[in-house]
Amino acid sequence: MHGPAMSSWLLMALCGVTGAYCLLRMRNGTQEERRTARAEALMGFGMAAMAVPAAVVTPPVWGWAVYVVLFGGAALRALWFARHKGHHLHHLVGSLAMVYMAVAMAAPGGHGGHQVAQVAGGLPLLTGMLLVYYAAYVLRSGARLRPVAATVGAGGGPTGGAWGARPELALACRLTMGIAMFAMLLTL
């Protein structure tokens, strides 16, 4: 991604922490919840790696191909599981957006991720559609995020299970990744 280095570092840290929390979520819940947490952890860590400032680490040309293969596979997996759960359609859009950004960054004239919108690899209409999707997703997710009354246990702390089993934190995680994806698409 290009832009100010501080923004890239913050975006990288935010996505990395979100991916780490998704790994924590994989320890609890049903098989479907763990599958969702795995997909979201992959997305968080992939976005963190993509957000590393280009001035610090210039990704090798083959690195973008790795992103395409990895997130292409994640898109196929999300498409397979979308037959049963509609939430996987969002994972499909996210994985395809990551494939799109990787292809655009690898495009000739993209300078490894810079000024992509002016080259054939970055399609302004597709970028705009993805921006509209993520803006709507963020607004909808933000509206659903509201405080949950905590139950106080005998020890004076909140009850309700481990950190990985808190639905409001999972929603905040998704909201954070939606905002980060929107920011990454803006810099494309």
Side-chain angles (χ1 to χ4, degrees), residues 62-128:
W62 56 265
W64 301 117
V66 170
Y67 277 111
V68 170
V69 169
L70 182 65
F71 286 100
L76 290 174
R77 185 175 185 275
L79 183 61
W80 177 259
F81 287 112
R83 299 172 306 136
H84 304 293
K85 285 286 213 179
H87 180 72
H88 290 285
L89 290 174
H90 173 70
H91 293 165
L92 175 65
V93 171
S95 295
L96 291 175
M98 292 292 283
V99 168
Y100 167 67
M101 287 190 291
V103 167
M105 289 179 183
H111 307 293
H114 301 286
Q115 297 136 6
V116 176
Q118 291 86 6
V119 300
L123 304 173
L125 179 62
L126 182 55
T127 302

Short mmCIF file of all heavy atoms in Angstrom, two decimals, residues 62-128:
data_model
loop_
_atom_site.label_atom_id
_atom_site.label_comp_id
_atom_site.label_asym_id
_atom_site.label_seq_id
_atom_site.Cartn_x
_atom_site.Cartn_y
_atom_site.Cartn_z
N TRP A 62 7.13 -12.10 -6.96
CA TRP A 62 6.41 -13.35 -6.75
C TRP A 62 5.51 -13.27 -5.51
O TRP A 62 4.60 -14.09 -5.35
CB TRP A 62 7.35 -14.53 -6.64
CG TRP A 62 8.40 -14.39 -5.58
CD1 TRP A 62 9.66 -13.92 -5.75
CD2 TRP A 62 8.26 -14.71 -4.19
NE1 TRP A 62 10.34 -13.92 -4.54
CE2 TRP A 62 9.48 -14.40 -3.57
CE3 TRP A 62 7.23 -15.21 -3.41
CZ2 TRP A 62 9.71 -14.58 -2.21
CZ3 TRP A 62 7.46 -15.39 -2.05
CH2 TRP A 62 8.67 -15.08 -1.47
N GLY A 63 5.74 -12.32 -4.62
CA GLY A 63 4.91 -12.17 -3.42
C GLY A 63 3.46 -11.91 -3.75
O GLY A 63 2.55 -12.41 -3.07
N TRP A 64 3.23 -11.13 -4.80
CA TRP A 64 1.85 -10.82 -5.19
C TRP A 64 1.16 -12.08 -5.71
O TRP A 64 -0.04 -12.26 -5.51
CB TRP A 64 1.81 -9.69 -6.20
CG TRP A 64 2.43 -8.45 -5.65
CD1 TRP A 64 3.55 -7.81 -6.11
CD2 TRP A 64 2.01 -7.71 -4.49
NE1 TRP A 64 3.83 -6.73 -5.32
CE2 TRP A 64 2.90 -6.64 -4.32
CE3 TRP A 64 0.96 -7.85 -3.59
CZ2 TRP A 64 2.78 -5.71 -3.29
CZ3 TRP A 64 0.84 -6.93 -2.54
CH2 TRP A 64 1.74 -5.88 -2.42
N ALA A 65 1.93 -12.95 -6.39
CA ALA A 65 1.37 -14.22 -6.86
C ALA A 65 0.96 -15.09 -5.69
O ALA A 65 -0.06 -15.80 -5.74
CB ALA A 65 2.36 -14.94 -7.76
N VAL A 66 1.73 -15.05 -4.61
CA VAL A 66 1.38 -15.81 -3.40
C VAL A 66 0.04 -15.31 -2.85
O VAL A 66 -0.82 -16.10 -2.47
CB VAL A 66 2.50 -15.72 -2.34
CG1 VAL A 66 2.04 -16.30 -1.01
CG2 VAL A 66 3.75 -16.42 -2.84
N TYR A 67 -0.13 -14.00 -2.81
CA TYR A 67 -1.41 -13.43 -2.36
C TYR A 67 -2.57 -13.91 -3.24
O TYR A 67 -3.63 -14.27 -2.75
CB TYR A 67 -1.39 -11.90 -2.41
CG TYR A 67 -0.78 -11.24 -1.22
CD1 TYR A 67 0.43 -10.57 -1.33
CD2 TYR A 67 -1.42 -11.24 0.01
CE1 TYR A 67 1.00 -9.94 -0.24
CE2 TYR A 67 -0.86 -10.61 1.10
CZ TYR A 67 0.35 -9.97 0.97
OH TYR A 67 0.90 -9.35 2.04
N VAL A 68 -2.35 -13.89 -4.55
CA VAL A 68 -3.41 -14.31 -5.48
C VAL A 68 -3.79 -15.77 -5.24
O VAL A 68 -4.98 -16.10 -5.16
CB VAL A 68 -2.97 -14.07 -6.95
CG1 VAL A 68 -3.94 -14.73 -7.92
CG2 VAL A 68 -2.86 -12.58 -7.23
N VAL A 69 -2.79 -16.63 -5.10
CA VAL A 69 -3.08 -18.06 -4.88
C VAL A 69 -3.74 -18.27 -3.52
O VAL A 69 -4.75 -18.98 -3.41
CB VAL A 69 -1.78 -18.89 -5.01
CG1 VAL A 69 -1.99 -20.33 -4.54
CG2 VAL A 69 -1.28 -18.86 -6.44
N LEU A 70 -3.19 -17.65 -2.48
CA LEU A 70 -3.71 -17.83 -1.13
C LEU A 70 -5.16 -17.33 -1.01
O LEU A 70 -6.03 -18.07 -0.54
CB LEU A 70 -2.82 -17.09 -0.12
CG LEU A 70 -3.21 -17.21 1.34
CD1 LEU A 70 -3.06 -18.65 1.81
CD2 LEU A 70 -2.35 -16.29 2.17
N PHE A 71 -5.41 -16.12 -1.47
CA PHE A 71 -6.75 -15.58 -1.33
C PHE A 71 -7.70 -16.08 -2.41
O PHE A 71 -8.91 -16.09 -2.21
CB PHE A 71 -6.71 -14.06 -1.24
CG PHE A 71 -6.21 -13.61 0.10
CD1 PHE A 71 -4.90 -13.19 0.27
CD2 PHE A 71 -7.04 -13.66 1.20
CE1 PHE A 71 -4.43 -12.82 1.51
CE2 PHE A 71 -6.58 -13.31 2.45
CZ PHE A 71 -5.27 -12.88 2.61
N GLY A 72 -7.16 -16.54 -3.53
CA GLY A 72 -7.99 -17.23 -4.51
C GLY A 72 -8.53 -18.53 -3.92
O GLY A 72 -9.71 -18.86 -4.07
N GLY A 73 -7.64 -19.26 -3.22
CA GLY A 73 -8.09 -20.48 -2.53
C GLY A 73 -9.09 -20.17 -1.43
O GLY A 73 -10.08 -20.90 -1.25
N ALA A 74 -8.86 -19.07 -0.70
CA ALA A 74 -9.80 -18.67 0.35
C ALA A 74 -11.15 -18.30 -0.26
O ALA A 74 -12.21 -18.58 0.32
CB ALA A 74 -9.24 -17.51 1.15
N ALA A 75 -11.13 -17.69 -1.44
CA ALA A 75 -12.39 -17.34 -2.12
C ALA A 75 -13.16 -18.60 -2.52
O ALA A 75 -14.38 -18.67 -2.34
CB ALA A 75 -12.11 -16.47 -3.34
N LEU A 76 -12.45 -19.58 -3.05
CA LEU A 76 -13.12 -20.85 -3.41
C LEU A 76 -13.70 -21.54 -2.18
O LEU A 76 -14.81 -22.06 -2.21
CB LEU A 76 -12.14 -21.78 -4.13
CG LEU A 76 -11.72 -21.34 -5.53
CD1 LEU A 76 -10.64 -22.28 -6.07
CD2 LEU A 76 -12.92 -21.31 -6.45
N ARG A 77 -12.95 -21.50 -1.10
CA ARG A 77 -13.42 -22.10 0.16
C ARG A 77 -14.67 -21.37 0.67
O ARG A 77 -15.65 -21.99 1.08
CB ARG A 77 -12.31 -22.05 1.20
CG ARG A 77 -12.62 -22.74 2.48
CD ARG A 77 -11.37 -22.73 3.38
NE ARG A 77 -11.57 -23.47 4.58
CZ ARG A 77 -12.13 -22.99 5.67
NH1 ARG A 77 -12.53 -21.74 5.71
NH2 ARG A 77 -12.28 -23.74 6.75
N ALA A 78 -14.63 -20.04 0.61
CA ALA A 78 -15.79 -19.25 1.06
C ALA A 78 -17.00 -19.52 0.17
O ALA A 78 -18.13 -19.61 0.66
CB ALA A 78 -15.45 -17.76 1.05
N LEU A 79 -16.76 -19.67 -1.13
CA LEU A 79 -17.86 -19.98 -2.04
C LEU A 79 -18.47 -21.34 -1.70
O LEU A 79 -19.70 -21.49 -1.69
CB LEU A 79 -17.35 -19.97 -3.48
CG LEU A 79 -18.38 -20.21 -4.58
CD1 LEU A 79 -19.45 -19.13 -4.55
CD2 LEU A 79 -17.70 -20.25 -5.93
N TRP A 80 -17.63 -22.30 -1.36
CA TRP A 80 -18.11 -23.64 -0.99
C TRP A 80 -18.98 -23.58 0.27
O TRP A 80 -20.06 -24.15 0.32
CB TRP A 80 -16.92 -24.57 -0.78
CG TRP A 80 -17.32 -25.94 -0.33
CD1 TRP A 80 -17.26 -26.44 0.94
CD2 TRP A 80 -17.85 -26.98 -1.14
NE1 TRP A 80 -17.70 -27.73 0.98
CE2 TRP A 80 -18.09 -28.09 -0.30
CE3 TRP A 80 -18.15 -27.08 -2.49
CZ2 TRP A 80 -18.61 -29.27 -0.78
CZ3 TRP A 80 -18.66 -28.27 -2.95
CH2 TRP A 80 -18.89 -29.35 -2.10
N PHE A 81 -18.52 -22.86 1.29
CA PHE A 81 -19.26 -22.79 2.55
C PHE A 81 -20.43 -21.83 2.48
O PHE A 81 -21.32 -21.88 3.34
CB PHE A 81 -18.33 -22.44 3.71
CG PHE A 81 -17.44 -23.58 4.10
CD1 PHE A 81 -16.06 -23.50 3.89
CD2 PHE A 81 -17.97 -24.74 4.64
CE1 PHE A 81 -15.24 -24.56 4.23
CE2 PHE A 81 -17.15 -25.81 4.97
CZ PHE A 81 -15.79 -25.72 4.77
N ALA A 82 -20.48 -20.96 1.50
CA ALA A 82 -21.60 -20.03 1.35
C ALA A 82 -22.90 -20.76 1.01
O ALA A 82 -23.98 -20.19 1.17
CB ALA A 82 -21.29 -18.98 0.29
N ARG A 83 -22.79 -22.01 0.59
CA ARG A 83 -23.99 -22.79 0.32
C ARG A 83 -24.84 -22.95 1.58
O ARG A 83 -26.05 -23.06 1.49
CB ARG A 83 -23.62 -24.19 -0.19
CG ARG A 83 -22.86 -24.20 -1.48
CD ARG A 83 -22.36 -25.59 -1.84
NE ARG A 83 -21.59 -26.15 -0.73
CZ ARG A 83 -21.71 -27.41 -0.30
NH1 ARG A 83 -22.54 -28.24 -0.87
NH2 ARG A 83 -20.98 -27.83 0.71
N HIS A 84 -24.19 -22.96 2.75
CA HIS A 84 -24.89 -23.20 4.00
C HIS A 84 -25.09 -21.94 4.83
O HIS A 84 -26.07 -21.82 5.54
CB HIS A 84 -24.12 -24.24 4.84
CG HIS A 84 -23.90 -25.52 4.12
ND1 HIS A 84 -24.92 -26.37 3.77
CD2 HIS A 84 -22.76 -26.09 3.66
CE1 HIS A 84 -24.42 -27.42 3.14
NE2 HIS A 84 -23.11 -27.27 3.06
N LYS A 85 -24.12 -21.04 4.80
CA LYS A 85 -24.17 -19.83 5.63
C LYS A 85 -23.92 -18.61 4.76
O LYS A 85 -22.90 -18.54 4.08
CB LYS A 85 -23.11 -19.88 6.74
CG LYS A 85 -23.43 -20.81 7.86
CD LYS A 85 -24.51 -20.19 8.70
CE LYS A 85 -24.32 -20.58 10.13
NZ LYS A 85 -25.27 -20.03 11.00
N GLY A 86 -24.82 -17.66 4.82
CA GLY A 86 -24.70 -16.46 4.02
C GLY A 86 -23.52 -15.58 4.39
O GLY A 86 -23.02 -14.82 3.57
N HIS A 87 -23.05 -15.68 5.65
CA HIS A 87 -21.92 -14.84 6.08
C HIS A 87 -20.67 -15.12 5.25
O HIS A 87 -19.83 -14.24 5.07
CB HIS A 87 -21.63 -15.04 7.56
CG HIS A 87 -20.49 -14.21 8.05
ND1 HIS A 87 -20.59 -12.84 8.20
CD2 HIS A 87 -19.22 -14.54 8.38
CE1 HIS A 87 -19.42 -12.37 8.61
NE2 HIS A 87 -18.58 -13.38 8.74
N HIS A 88 -20.57 -16.30 4.71
CA HIS A 88 -19.40 -16.64 3.91
C HIS A 88 -19.37 -15.87 2.59
O HIS A 88 -18.32 -15.78 1.96
CB HIS A 88 -19.31 -18.15 3.67
CG HIS A 88 -18.97 -18.90 4.92
ND1 HIS A 88 -17.70 -18.92 5.45
CD2 HIS A 88 -19.73 -19.63 5.77
CE1 HIS A 88 -17.70 -19.63 6.56
NE2 HIS A 88 -18.92 -20.08 6.76
N LEU A 89 -20.49 -15.31 2.17
CA LEU A 89 -20.47 -14.45 0.99
C LEU A 89 -19.62 -13.21 1.25
O LEU A 89 -18.93 -12.73 0.35
CB LEU A 89 -21.89 -14.06 0.58
CG LEU A 89 -22.75 -15.19 0.02
CD1 LEU A 89 -24.17 -14.71 -0.21
CD2 LEU A 89 -22.14 -15.73 -1.26
N HIS A 90 -19.66 -12.70 2.48
CA HIS A 90 -18.79 -11.58 2.82
C HIS A 90 -17.32 -11.99 2.76
O HIS A 90 -16.48 -11.24 2.29
CB HIS A 90 -19.14 -11.03 4.22
CG HIS A 90 -18.19 -10.00 4.70
ND1 HIS A 90 -18.13 -8.75 4.13
CD2 HIS A 90 -17.24 -10.03 5.66
CE1 HIS A 90 -17.18 -8.04 4.74
NE2 HIS A 90 -16.64 -8.81 5.68
N HIS A 91 -17.02 -13.20 3.22
CA HIS A 91 -15.65 -13.70 3.14
C HIS A 91 -15.24 -13.85 1.68
O HIS A 91 -14.08 -13.60 1.33
CB HIS A 91 -15.51 -15.04 3.85
CG HIS A 91 -15.69 -14.94 5.32
ND1 HIS A 91 -15.90 -16.03 6.11
CD2 HIS A 91 -15.70 -13.88 6.17
CE1 HIS A 91 -16.02 -15.65 7.37
NE2 HIS A 91 -15.91 -14.35 7.42
N LEU A 92 -16.18 -14.25 0.83
CA LEU A 92 -15.91 -14.37 -0.60
C LEU A 92 -15.55 -13.01 -1.18
O LEU A 92 -14.55 -12.87 -1.90
CB LEU A 92 -17.12 -14.96 -1.32
CG LEU A 92 -17.04 -15.04 -2.84
CD1 LEU A 92 -15.93 -15.99 -3.27
CD2 LEU A 92 -18.38 -15.48 -3.41
N VAL A 93 -16.33 -11.99 -0.86
CA VAL A 93 -16.05 -10.64 -1.36
C VAL A 93 -14.69 -10.16 -0.84
O VAL A 93 -13.89 -9.60 -1.60
CB VAL A 93 -17.17 -9.65 -0.96
CG1 VAL A 93 -16.79 -8.22 -1.28
CG2 VAL A 93 -18.47 -10.01 -1.65
N GLY A 94 -14.41 -10.39 0.43
CA GLY A 94 -13.14 -9.97 1.00
C GLY A 94 -11.95 -10.66 0.35
O GLY A 94 -10.94 -10.02 0.04
N SER A 95 -12.07 -11.96 0.13
CA SER A 95 -10.97 -12.71 -0.50
C SER A 95 -10.76 -12.25 -1.93
O SER A 95 -9.62 -12.07 -2.38
CB SER A 95 -11.27 -14.21 -0.47
OG SER A 95 -11.30 -14.67 0.86
N LEU A 96 -11.85 -12.03 -2.65
CA LEU A 96 -11.72 -11.54 -4.02
C LEU A 96 -11.15 -10.12 -4.06
O LEU A 96 -10.40 -9.78 -4.98
CB LEU A 96 -13.07 -11.62 -4.75
CG LEU A 96 -13.57 -13.03 -5.03
CD1 LEU A 96 -14.97 -13.00 -5.63
CD2 LEU A 96 -12.61 -13.79 -5.93
N ALA A 97 -11.49 -9.31 -3.07
CA ALA A 97 -10.92 -7.96 -2.99
C ALA A 97 -9.41 -8.04 -2.77
O ALA A 97 -8.64 -7.25 -3.34
CB ALA A 97 -11.59 -7.15 -1.88
N MET A 98 -8.97 -8.99 -1.95
CA MET A 98 -7.53 -9.16 -1.73
C MET A 98 -6.83 -9.64 -3.00
O MET A 98 -5.74 -9.17 -3.33
CB MET A 98 -7.29 -10.15 -0.58
CG MET A 98 -7.70 -9.64 0.78
SD MET A 98 -6.70 -8.28 1.37
CE MET A 98 -5.24 -9.16 1.91
N VAL A 99 -7.47 -10.54 -3.74
CA VAL A 99 -6.92 -10.98 -5.02
C VAL A 99 -6.82 -9.78 -5.97
O VAL A 99 -5.79 -9.57 -6.62
CB VAL A 99 -7.78 -12.11 -5.65
CG1 VAL A 99 -7.39 -12.38 -7.09
CG2 VAL A 99 -7.68 -13.38 -4.82
N TYR A 100 -7.87 -8.99 -6.03
CA TYR A 100 -7.89 -7.81 -6.90
C TYR A 100 -6.77 -6.84 -6.55
O TYR A 100 -6.05 -6.35 -7.43
CB TYR A 100 -9.26 -7.13 -6.79
CG TYR A 100 -9.32 -5.75 -7.38
CD1 TYR A 100 -9.19 -5.56 -8.76
CD2 TYR A 100 -9.50 -4.64 -6.59
CE1 TYR A 100 -9.24 -4.30 -9.31
CE2 TYR A 100 -9.56 -3.37 -7.13
CZ TYR A 100 -9.43 -3.20 -8.49
OH TYR A 100 -9.48 -1.95 -9.03
N MET A 101 -6.58 -6.57 -5.26
CA MET A 101 -5.53 -5.64 -4.85
C MET A 101 -4.15 -6.21 -5.19
O MET A 101 -3.26 -5.47 -5.63
CB MET A 101 -5.64 -5.31 -3.37
CG MET A 101 -6.80 -4.39 -3.06
SD MET A 101 -6.80 -3.75 -1.38
CE MET A 101 -7.15 -5.21 -0.43
N ALA A 102 -3.95 -7.50 -4.98
CA ALA A 102 -2.65 -8.10 -5.29
C ALA A 102 -2.37 -8.04 -6.79
O ALA A 102 -1.25 -7.72 -7.20
CB ALA A 102 -2.61 -9.55 -4.80
N VAL A 103 -3.36 -8.32 -7.62
CA VAL A 103 -3.18 -8.25 -9.07
C VAL A 103 -2.90 -6.81 -9.48
O VAL A 103 -2.01 -6.55 -10.30
CB VAL A 103 -4.42 -8.81 -9.81
CG1 VAL A 103 -4.39 -8.46 -11.29
CG2 VAL A 103 -4.51 -10.31 -9.61
N ALA A 104 -3.62 -5.87 -8.90
CA ALA A 104 -3.42 -4.46 -9.25
C ALA A 104 -2.03 -3.98 -8.83
O ALA A 104 -1.39 -3.21 -9.55
CB ALA A 104 -4.50 -3.60 -8.58
N MET A 105 -1.55 -4.44 -7.70
CA MET A 105 -0.23 -4.02 -7.23
C MET A 105 0.89 -4.64 -8.06
O MET A 105 1.96 -4.06 -8.19
CB MET A 105 -0.05 -4.37 -5.76
CG MET A 105 -0.88 -3.51 -4.87
SD MET A 105 -0.62 -4.03 -3.19
CE MET A 105 -1.74 -2.95 -2.34
N ALA A 106 0.65 -5.82 -8.58
CA ALA A 106 1.67 -6.49 -9.38
C ALA A 106 1.66 -6.03 -10.84
O ALA A 106 2.57 -6.34 -11.58
CB ALA A 106 1.45 -8.00 -9.33
N ALA A 107 0.64 -5.27 -11.23
CA ALA A 107 0.51 -4.84 -12.62
C ALA A 107 1.69 -3.97 -13.04
O ALA A 107 2.23 -3.22 -12.23
CB ALA A 107 -0.80 -4.06 -12.80
N PRO A 108 2.09 -4.08 -14.30
CA PRO A 108 3.16 -3.22 -14.79
C PRO A 108 2.78 -1.75 -14.60
O PRO A 108 1.67 -1.35 -14.90
CB PRO A 108 3.27 -3.57 -16.28
CG PRO A 108 2.61 -4.90 -16.41
CD PRO A 108 1.59 -4.97 -15.32
N GLY A 109 3.70 -1.01 -14.07
CA GLY A 109 3.42 0.40 -13.80
C GLY A 109 2.84 0.60 -12.42
O GLY A 109 2.66 1.73 -11.98
N GLY A 110 2.56 -0.50 -11.72
CA GLY A 110 2.01 -0.41 -10.38
C GLY A 110 3.08 -0.10 -9.35
O GLY A 110 2.78 0.23 -8.23
N HIS A 111 4.35 -0.21 -9.73
CA HIS A 111 5.47 0.09 -8.85
C HIS A 111 5.37 -0.68 -7.54
O HIS A 111 5.59 -0.14 -6.48
CB HIS A 111 5.58 1.59 -8.57
CG HIS A 111 5.61 2.40 -9.82
ND1 HIS A 111 6.66 2.36 -10.70
CD2 HIS A 111 4.69 3.25 -10.34
CE1 HIS A 111 6.40 3.17 -11.71
NE2 HIS A 111 5.23 3.71 -11.53
N GLY A 112 4.96 -1.94 -7.63
CA GLY A 112 4.87 -2.77 -6.45
C GLY A 112 3.82 -2.29 -5.48
O GLY A 112 3.91 -2.48 -4.29
N GLY A 113 2.80 -1.65 -5.98
CA GLY A 113 1.71 -1.23 -5.11
C GLY A 113 1.47 0.26 -5.10
O GLY A 113 0.67 0.73 -4.32
N HIS A 114 2.12 1.00 -5.97
CA HIS A 114 1.96 2.45 -5.97
C HIS A 114 1.30 2.92 -7.26
O HIS A 114 1.57 2.40 -8.32
CB HIS A 114 3.31 3.14 -5.80
CG HIS A 114 3.99 2.73 -4.52
ND1 HIS A 114 3.57 3.19 -3.30
CD2 HIS A 114 5.02 1.90 -4.28
CE1 HIS A 114 4.33 2.67 -2.37
NE2 HIS A 114 5.21 1.87 -2.93
N GLN A 115 0.46 3.90 -7.17
CA GLN A 115 -0.20 4.54 -8.30
C GLN A 115 -0.86 3.51 -9.22
O GLN A 115 -0.73 3.58 -10.43
CB GLN A 115 0.77 5.41 -9.09
CG GLN A 115 1.31 6.53 -8.26
CD GLN A 115 2.80 6.71 -8.44
OE1 GLN A 115 3.41 6.07 -9.26
NE2 GLN A 115 3.37 7.57 -7.64
N VAL A 116 -1.58 2.59 -8.64
CA VAL A 116 -2.18 1.50 -9.41
C VAL A 116 -3.41 1.95 -10.18
O VAL A 116 -3.70 1.43 -11.24
CB VAL A 116 -2.52 0.32 -8.48
CG1 VAL A 116 -3.21 -0.78 -9.21
CG2 VAL A 116 -1.26 -0.19 -7.84
N ALA A 117 -4.12 2.94 -9.67
CA ALA A 117 -5.38 3.33 -10.29
C ALA A 117 -5.19 3.82 -11.72
O ALA A 117 -6.12 3.80 -12.51
CB ALA A 117 -6.07 4.40 -9.45
N GLN A 118 -3.99 4.24 -12.09
CA GLN A 118 -3.77 4.75 -13.43
C GLN A 118 -3.39 3.65 -14.42
O GLN A 118 -3.26 3.94 -15.60
CB GLN A 118 -2.63 5.80 -13.43
CG GLN A 118 -3.00 7.08 -12.73
CD GLN A 118 -2.75 7.03 -11.24
OE1 GLN A 118 -2.20 6.08 -10.71
NE2 GLN A 118 -3.19 8.05 -10.54
N VAL A 119 -3.20 2.43 -13.98
CA VAL A 119 -2.79 1.37 -14.89
C VAL A 119 -3.94 0.42 -15.13
O VAL A 119 -4.96 0.45 -14.44
CB VAL A 119 -1.56 0.60 -14.34
CG1 VAL A 119 -0.39 1.53 -14.15
CG2 VAL A 119 -1.88 -0.12 -13.07
N ALA A 120 -3.75 -0.44 -16.12
CA ALA A 120 -4.81 -1.38 -16.48
C ALA A 120 -5.15 -2.34 -15.35
O ALA A 120 -6.23 -2.88 -15.29
CB ALA A 120 -4.41 -2.16 -17.72
N GLY A 121 -4.20 -2.58 -14.42
CA GLY A 121 -4.44 -3.51 -13.33
C GLY A 121 -5.44 -3.01 -12.30
O GLY A 121 -6.04 -3.78 -11.58
N GLY A 122 -5.63 -1.70 -12.20
CA GLY A 122 -6.58 -1.15 -11.24
C GLY A 122 -7.76 -0.57 -11.97
O GLY A 122 -7.63 0.39 -12.74
N LEU A 123 -8.92 -1.15 -11.78
CA LEU A 123 -10.13 -0.69 -12.47
C LEU A 123 -10.92 0.23 -11.54
O LEU A 123 -11.44 -0.23 -10.52
CB LEU A 123 -10.98 -1.88 -12.88
CG LEU A 123 -10.28 -2.93 -13.76
CD1 LEU A 123 -11.17 -4.14 -13.94
CD2 LEU A 123 -9.91 -2.31 -15.09
N PRO A 124 -11.00 1.52 -11.89
CA PRO A 124 -11.69 2.47 -11.00
C PRO A 124 -13.14 2.06 -10.70
O PRO A 124 -13.59 2.24 -9.58
CB PRO A 124 -11.64 3.78 -11.77
CG PRO A 124 -10.45 3.64 -12.67
CD PRO A 124 -10.39 2.19 -13.02
N LEU A 125 -13.86 1.49 -11.66
CA LEU A 125 -15.24 1.08 -11.41
C LEU A 125 -15.31 -0.03 -10.38
O LEU A 125 -16.11 0.02 -9.44
CB LEU A 125 -15.91 0.64 -12.72
CG LEU A 125 -17.36 0.16 -12.58
CD1 LEU A 125 -18.24 1.30 -12.07
CD2 LEU A 125 -17.87 -0.36 -13.90
N LEU A 126 -14.45 -1.03 -10.50
CA LEU A 126 -14.42 -2.14 -9.53
C LEU A 126 -13.99 -1.65 -8.16
O LEU A 126 -14.57 -2.02 -7.14
CB LEU A 126 -13.51 -3.27 -10.02
CG LEU A 126 -13.43 -4.50 -9.13
CD1 LEU A 126 -14.81 -5.08 -8.86
CD2 LEU A 126 -12.53 -5.54 -9.78
N THR A 127 -12.97 -0.79 -8.14
CA THR A 127 -12.53 -0.22 -6.87
C THR A 127 -13.68 0.56 -6.23
O THR A 127 -13.92 0.42 -5.02
CB THR A 127 -11.32 0.71 -7.08
OG1 THR A 127 -10.26 -0.04 -7.69
CG2 THR A 127 -10.82 1.28 -5.76
N GLY A 128 -14.39 1.34 -7.01
CA GLY A 128 -15.53 2.10 -6.49
C GLY A 128 -16.63 1.20 -5.95
O GLY A 128 -17.21 1.48 -4.90
#
